[in-house]
């Protein structure tokens, strides 16, 4: 592991040499300079990890060094050192980006701790920037709408997916009310739920569904997962993710319709099969009855009546072929006084 590099700027030669030795004893790689200008040049040629700089130096003091170094590298930790309790200068130094302000006489253990904390803070800042960068990339490319609302339902932020899904740019939506985009049939329900959430302050996330209207007037279905954000125990905003589930809703409806149609088809075919089964049983019954009638005229007269009684017919007619022509023989209609008629 490489040593931590320190640039130590101090105009007092005795103090500079003595403390430089102590820093090296702690394992630091130290480059020391006797003036602010020389320190700035050294910084430009070889970037250190941390800068220790005396505040009160003739000509080009610690605050001037701080300002110049921050122009070159805004992230470098600069620790200012002074033998005077200059509170105003300390406050100004912190405002202008100094990591810390340490009073002399310097204690090596305290400086060692301060240096390492400064480097930890720098690394945390880098990680935060990296995380924010990754988050921004994610927000810019995620297909879901990611948003923040204030306690009145006004958009504080919204990602570019809003334009893809709803047709409104983030610039158009920020500062407007979320209720302006909700379908009129759902807006009352959504307003009630929003106000209840804000008043009760529930900390768990909640998923709701409602419809929103696009810029072109199309109504889309959204599934929204939302949670409240608190500061000092008070609700300050609502963050959420809205997912367009319109296609899922459409497919679900098609599936229900298909399932219903399939059930109706099965029911229809089952009825037909049951009817055919009854008809077959009836024909068997008719056949059995015919075998019990031995008189031809009686058989011919009873055929229509047997058919209407057993096959669920409301009428039946018997025609016989005679010399190539069909001749009416008998007829039966349910509800008539007599079912037997002969020609």
């Amino acid at each position: 592991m490489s040593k931590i590099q320190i640039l130590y700027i101090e105009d007092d030669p005795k103090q500079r040499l003595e403390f430089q030795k102590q820093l090296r004893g702690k394992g630091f790689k130290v480059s020391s300079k006797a003036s602010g200008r020389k320190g700035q040049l050294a910084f430009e040629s070889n970037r250190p990890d941390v800068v220790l700089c005396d505040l009160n130096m003739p000509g080009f003091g610690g605050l001037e060094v701080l300002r110049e170094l921050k122009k070159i590298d805004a992230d470098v930790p600069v620790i200012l050192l002074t033998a005077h309790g200059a509170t105003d200068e300390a406050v100004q130094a912190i405002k202008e980006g100094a990591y810390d302000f340490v009073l002399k006489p310097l204690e090596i253990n305290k400086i060692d701790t301060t240096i390492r904390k400064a480097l930890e803070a720098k690394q945390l800042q880098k990680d935060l920037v990296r995380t924010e960068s990754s988050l921004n990339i994610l927000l810019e490319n995620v297909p879901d709408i990611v948003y923040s609302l204030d306690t009145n339902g006004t958009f504080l932020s919204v990602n570019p997916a809003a334009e893809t899904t709803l047709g409104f740019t983030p610039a158009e939506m920020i500062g407007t009310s979320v209720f302006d985009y909700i379908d009129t049939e759902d807006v009352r329900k959504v307003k009630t739920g929003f106000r209840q959430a804000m008043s009760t302050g529930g900390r768990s996330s909640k998923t709701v569904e409602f419809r929103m209207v696009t810029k072109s007037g199309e109504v889309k279905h959204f599934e929204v997962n939302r949670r409240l954000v608190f500061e000092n125990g008070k609700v300050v905003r609502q963050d959420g993710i809205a997912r367009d589930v319109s296609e899922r809703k459409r497919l679900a409806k098609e599936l229900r319709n298909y399932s219903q149609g399939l059930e109706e088809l099965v029911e229809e075919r089952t009825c037909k099969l049951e009817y055919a089964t009854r008809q077959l049983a009836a024909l068997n019954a008719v056949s059995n009855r015919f075998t019990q009638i031995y008189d031809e005229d009686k058989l011919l007269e009873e055929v229509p009546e047997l058919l209407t009684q057993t096959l669920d017919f409301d009428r039946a007619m018997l025609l016989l072929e005679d010399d190539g022509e069909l001749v009416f023989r008998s007829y039966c209609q349910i509800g008539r006084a007599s079912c037997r008629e002969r020609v």
Side-chain angles (χ1 to χ4, degrees):
M1 183 177 179
S2 60
K3 291 183 177 182
I4 297 172
Q5 297 185 44
I6 306 295
L7 173 59
Y8 178 33
I9 306 171
E10 171 62 65
D11 64 331
D12 186 325
K14 182 179 178 181
Q15 188 174 114
R16 185 174 66 252
L17 293 173
E18 181 181 339
F19 201 66
Q20 176 180 279
K21 184 178 179 181
Q22 293 183 48
L23 287 169
R24 287 173 177 165
K26 283 292 186 179
F28 297 116
K29 184 178 179 180
V30 184
S31 172
S32 62
K33 299 299 174 182
S35 70
R37 288 296 183 190
K38 289 181 179 180
Q40 180 185 346
L41 293 172
F43 184 86
E44 291 174 351
S45 61
N46 185 23
R47 302 288 174 84
D49 297 308
V50 179
V51 176
L52 300 177
C53 183
D54 186 23
L55 178 65
N56 299 296
M57 294 183 294
F60 196 67
L63 280 178
E64 288 79 10
V65 172
L66 172 66
R67 293 176 187 131
E68 293 303 316
L69 298 191
K70 286 295 181 178
K71 290 178 184 178
I72 301 169
D73 185 352
D75 297 326
V76 63
V78 178
I79 301 169
L80 294 178
L81 318 169
T82 183
H84 310 284
T87 305
D88 292 342
E89 289 180 307
V91 171
Q92 186 61 32
I94 297 300
K95 286 183 177 179
E96 295 196 32
Y99 173 73
D100 205 350
F101 196 94
V102 180
L103 292 176
K104 297 178 181 180
L106 302 178
E107 297 178 9
I108 186 60
N109 290 332
K110 183 177 180 180
I111 289 293
D112 178 47
T113 300
T114 304
I115 289 172
R116 297 184 189 280
K117 284 184 176 179
L119 290 172
E120 288 177 5
K122 180 180 179 180
Q123 185 60 48
L124 287 173
Q125 182 63 30
K126 281 185 177 180
D127 293 342
L128 178 61
V129 171
R130 190 180 301 113
T131 301
E132 289 180 345
S133 177
S134 299
L135 180 59
N136 288 334
I137 292 173
L138 178 63
L139 290 177
E140 288 175 2
N141 292 279
V142 70
D144 298 332
I145 298 175
V146 182
Y147 67 88
S148 290
L149 304 174
D150 68 11
T151 54
N152 295 315
T154 301
F155 279 105
L156 299 173
S157 66
V158 62
N159 69 332
E163 184 172 7
T164 304
T165 309
L166 294 173
F168 298 97
T169 66
E172 289 176 308
M173 297 183 72
I174 292 173
T176 64
S177 174
V178 65
F179 306 117
D180 294 340
Y181 304 91
I182 297 174
D183 185 67
T184 53
E185 294 185 6
D186 292 344
V187 68
R188 183 176 180 181
K189 174 187 70 175
V190 176
K191 276 186 177 180
T192 301
F194 182 85
R195 289 167 181 164
Q196 287 178 348
M198 288 296 171
S199 61
T200 58
R203 292 183 178 272
S204 60
S205 61
K206 185 177 181 181
T207 301
V208 295
E209 286 192 14
F210 52 79
R211 290 165 291 182
M212 299 182 77
V213 183
T214 69
K215 198 170 188 177
S216 64
E218 180 185 0
V219 177
K220 290 188 175 183
H221 293 261
F222 286 86
E223 183 180 83
V224 181
N225 186 276
R226 65 191 188 189
R227 69 178 183 88
L228 301 180
V229 179
F230 296 80
E231 287 184 8
N232 300 320
K234 185 179 179 181
V235 179
V236 293
R237 71 174 190 272
Q238 180 192 105
D239 291 344
I241 300 175
R243 173 166 295 177
D244 181 3
V245 294
S246 303
E247 183 65 11
R248 188 177 76 188
K249 289 280 188 182
R250 184 187 67 80
L251 292 174
K253 183 178 180 180
E254 286 186 2
L255 183 60
R256 286 195 301 271
N257 292 339
Y258 177 77
S259 178
Q260 182 179 353
L262 188 60
E263 289 177 0
E264 292 174 353
L265 181 61
V266 170
E267 183 179 358
E268 178 185 350
R269 293 189 176 182
T270 300
C271 290
K272 288 182 178 179
L273 181 60
E274 290 175 350
Y275 179 76
T277 301
R278 290 197 304 271
Q279 296 293 76
L280 182 60
L283 287 173
N284 288 332
V286 170
S287 177
N288 291 334
R289 173 61 180 152
F290 285 171
T291 59
Q292 298 172 9
I293 301 175
Y294 300 100
D295 182 87
E296 181 179 354
D297 289 339
K298 184 178 180 182
L299 176 62
L300 294 178
E301 289 179 0
E302 288 192 8
V303 165
E305 183 177 359
L306 287 172
L307 291 175
T308 56
Q309 290 176 351
T310 58
L311 296 180
D312 294 332
F313 294 167
D314 62 352
R315 66 193 66 188
M317 178 187 298
L318 177 63
L319 300 174
L320 299 178
E321 184 179 358
D322 185 9
D323 293 333
E325 295 182 359
L326 291 178
V327 179
F328 174 79
R329 181 65 179 79
S330 58
Y331 173 82
C332 180
Q333 180 175 342
I334 294 177
R336 290 188 55 156
S338 174
C339 284
R340 295 176 186 147
E341 297 181 10
R342 293 188 61 180
V343 176

